[in-house]
């Protein structure tokens, strides 16, 4: 079952194909309509199309394809599809999940990952935010007036990096897709956030010996293509948004682009890819020091995780009107 928003996207861009529709590649019966590529596919040709999109993404990654990949898995469609594709392409992978301690949602995330991994006998590891940071996400929310999605995003980013290195991996693969990246680009442009533009690149090299490279092999595929892949491959993912992310502005930017996409198919791809082509790949970072509290790489005296911890330890001040 797909949630309401996804059902509406699928319904609008995936009209029922007539029985006589032919696959654009092999002329077998087609069951999948790809409006934005003006093509129809049978399931095997669609799978090949998805794998080709990931291989094209990987061509832009400036390191050997043989390195084992740590895959950040949330249990949602993107990260499970990503893990499946990387596994099918022959990569050595391990799943990494951070349990955020959100009632109901976190449990369902772990169930989806467990089911997926055990069906395919894939190794994975889970860390609880409560253990590695001392608080769950709902506990953090009671101690700060900051927007919880921003705080959670910061923690996930930093801790995924640290845990990837701790587990002995050099590369972390995340499930951000074309809609995420195009939405982020629009958000950055609307708010003139020049300083975040580099983060949109599909491969961010390791900026420090104690930080992994971060890759986004799904950046050429949109939500419709990824859900379709999950359906074709029988991947049962967690199909609900985080209950704490309601009203997040990132959703609005994606919805705005989806509105344009339905009127002008291809808009999202053109918007993102044209931008990426005009950018130089980011180079290895510099200017890192060491956090005086935890010794992790940091730009200031404290790393962003320790700075957040200090902020949360002043609950009265943070919550005052
Ligand atoms: P999101 O920011 O929730 O859209 O997630 C983007 C990507 O971050 C996902 O596709 C995953 O690769 C990764 N991710 C999100 N949440 C988690 C989590 N709790 N544990 C591990 N990886 C995650
Ligand atoms: Zn620190």
């Amino acid at each position: 079952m797909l949630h309401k928003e996804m059902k509406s996207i699928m319904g609008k861009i995936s009209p029922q194909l007539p029985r006589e529709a032919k696959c654009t590649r092999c002329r077998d019966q087609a069951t999948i309509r790809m409006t934005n590529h003006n093509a129809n596919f049978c399931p095997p040709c669609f799978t090949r199309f998805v794998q080709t999109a990931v291989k094209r993404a990987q061509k832009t990654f400036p390191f050997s394809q043989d390195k084992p990949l740590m895959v950040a898995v949330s249990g949602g469609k993107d990260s499970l599809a990503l893990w499946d594709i990387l596994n099918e392409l022959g990569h050595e992978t391990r799943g990494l999940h951070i349990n955020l301690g959100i009632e109901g949602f976190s449990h369902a995330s772990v169930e989806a990952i467990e089911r997926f991994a055990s069906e395919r006998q894939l190794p994975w590891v889970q860390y609880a935010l409560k253990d590695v940071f001392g608080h769950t996400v709902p506990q953090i929310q009671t101690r700060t007036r900051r927007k919880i999605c921003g705080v959670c995003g910061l923690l996930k980013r930093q801790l995924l990096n640290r845990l990837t290195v701790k587990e002995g991996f050099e590369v972390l693969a995340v499930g951000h897709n074309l809609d995420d990246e195009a939405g982020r680009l629009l958000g950055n442009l609307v708010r003139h956030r020049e300083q975040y533009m580099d983060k949109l690149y599909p491969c961010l090299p390791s900026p420090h010996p104690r930080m992994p490279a971060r890759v986004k092999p799904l950046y050429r595929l949109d939500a419709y293509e990824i859900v379709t892949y999950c359906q074709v491959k029988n991947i049962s993912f967690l199909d609900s948004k985080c209950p704490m992310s309601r009203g997040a502005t990132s959703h609005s930017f994606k919805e705005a682009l989806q509105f344009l996409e339905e009127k002008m198919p291809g808009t999202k791809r053109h918007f993102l890819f044209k931008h990426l082509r005009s950018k130089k790949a980011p180079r290895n970072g510099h200017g890192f020091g060491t956090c005086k509290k935890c010794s992790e790489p940091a730009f200031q005296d404290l790393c962003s995780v320790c700075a957040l911890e200090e902020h949360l330890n002043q609950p009265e001040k943070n919550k005052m009107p």
Side-chain angles (χ1 to χ4, degrees):
M1 278 291 285
L2 295 174
H3 68 66
K4 228 174 79 209
E5 183 200 357
M6 192 43 82
K7 254 195 215 150
S8 113
I9 294 181
M10 296 296 281
K12 279 181 196 145
I13 33 186
S14 175
Q16 283 283 312
L17 282 175
R19 281 184 79 75
E20 63 277 12
K22 297 262 183 287
C23 173
T24 308
R25 284 200 176 165
C26 74
R27 313 308 296 165
D28 250 7
Q29 192 193 346
T31 51
I32 299 160
R33 171 90 189 121
M34 306 284 293
T35 315
N36 54 355
H37 293 278
N38 200 18
N40 299 327
F41 287 129
C42 65
C45 286
F46 176 75
T47 303
R48 205 146 357 114
F49 159 84
V50 167
Q51 290 180 345
T52 304
V54 168
K55 283 196 236 164
R56 276 188 77 179
Q58 289 177 314
K59 273 201 184 140
T60 65
F61 303 166
F63 41 75
S64 144
Q65 297 296 315
D66 305 338
K67 283 190 197 276
L69 298 170
M70 186 61 110
V71 186
V73 280
S74 63
K77 63 181 190 321
D78 302 305
S79 51
L80 293 188
L82 171 64
W83 200 2
D84 189 75
I85 298 163
L86 294 174
N87 183 44
E88 297 260 321
L89 290 177
H91 292 278
E92 184 186 336
T93 60
R94 189 185 308 165
L96 169 61
H97 177 66
I98 299 183
N99 188 321
L100 304 170
I102 301 171
E103 207 191 327
F105 181 74
S106 292
H107 182 68
S109 307
V110 170
E111 267 185 359
I113 298 167
E114 176 58 51
R115 194 171 44 231
F116 175 90
S118 62
E119 279 169 11
R120 292 160 183 79
Q121 297 185 315
L122 291 172
W124 68 290
V125 54
Q126 144 172 227
Y127 288 86
L129 186 63
K130 173 94 181 149
D131 296 337
V132 286
F133 182 63
H135 311 273
T136 64
V137 170
Q139 285 168 346
I140 294 171
Q141 196 180 32
T142 64
R143 297 170 81 99
T144 180
R145 280 190 288 159
R146 288 193 200 165
K147 286 195 179 149
I148 194 63
C149 288
V151 176
C152 178
L154 176 150
L155 279 173
K156 279 195 290 194
R157 230 174 5 259
Q158 298 296 332
L159 297 175
L160 284 171
N161 280 345
R162 291 178 189 185
L163 295 169
T164 297
V165 171
K166 176 169 182 252
E167 293 283 334
F169 285 69
E170 289 175 35
V171 185
L172 172 70
V174 289
H176 295 276
N177 64 33
L178 174 64
D179 294 273
D180 299 325
E181 297 299 279
R184 204 128 73 104
L185 173 58
L186 182 62
N188 287 346
L189 290 174
V190 168
R191 293 167 163 154
H192 299 280
R193 287 181 163 175
E194 290 297 325
Q195 72 276 29
Y196 293 124
M197 285 301 199
D198 264 1
K199 299 270 182 288
L200 278 166
Y201 214 75
C203 172
L204 303 170
S206 161
H208 186 279
R210 290 182 49 196
M211 287 168 79
R214 177 176 284 243
V215 295
K216 304 172 194 163
L218 296 186
Y219 85 94
R220 307 186 68 88
L221 295 162
D222 70 12
Y224 166 71
E225 290 158 348
I226 292 166
V227 174
T228 305
Y229 181 82
C230 289
Q231 289 173 337
V232 167
K233 296 292 305 285
N234 237 340
I235 297 172
S236 64
F237 55 89
L238 173 66
D239 178 39
S240 51
K241 276 191 191 157
C242 170
M244 300 184 70
S245 79
R246 273 187 210 112
T249 44
S250 59
H251 299 327
S252 308
F253 289 117
K254 283 201 246 178
E255 280 163 20
L257 279 173
Q258 192 54 36
F259 174 83
L260 297 174
E261 179 75 24
E262 280 158 26
K263 302 218 173 299
M264 296 169 279
T267 299
K268 290 184 296 195
R269 318 188 93 72
H270 182 73
F271 178 55
L272 180 66
F273 294 177
K274 188 96 208 274
H275 169 78
L276 290 176
R277 275 199 296 272
S278 72
K279 299 271 308 168
K280 279 211 186 99
R283 299 212 274 136
N284 284 2
H286 43 80
F288 274 104
T290 303
C291 173
K292 66 179 183 196
K293 200 165 159 196
C294 72
S295 308
E296 290 287 344
F299 278 120
Q300 287 163 352
D301 280 357
L302 289 182
C303 70
S304 48
V305 177
C306 291
L308 176 64
E309 211 170 6
E310 297 234 318
H311 167 79
L312 296 177
N313 285 337
Q314 306 166 329
E316 302 79 26
K317 210 162 111 198
N318 299 336
K319 272 301 202 185
M320 275 206 312

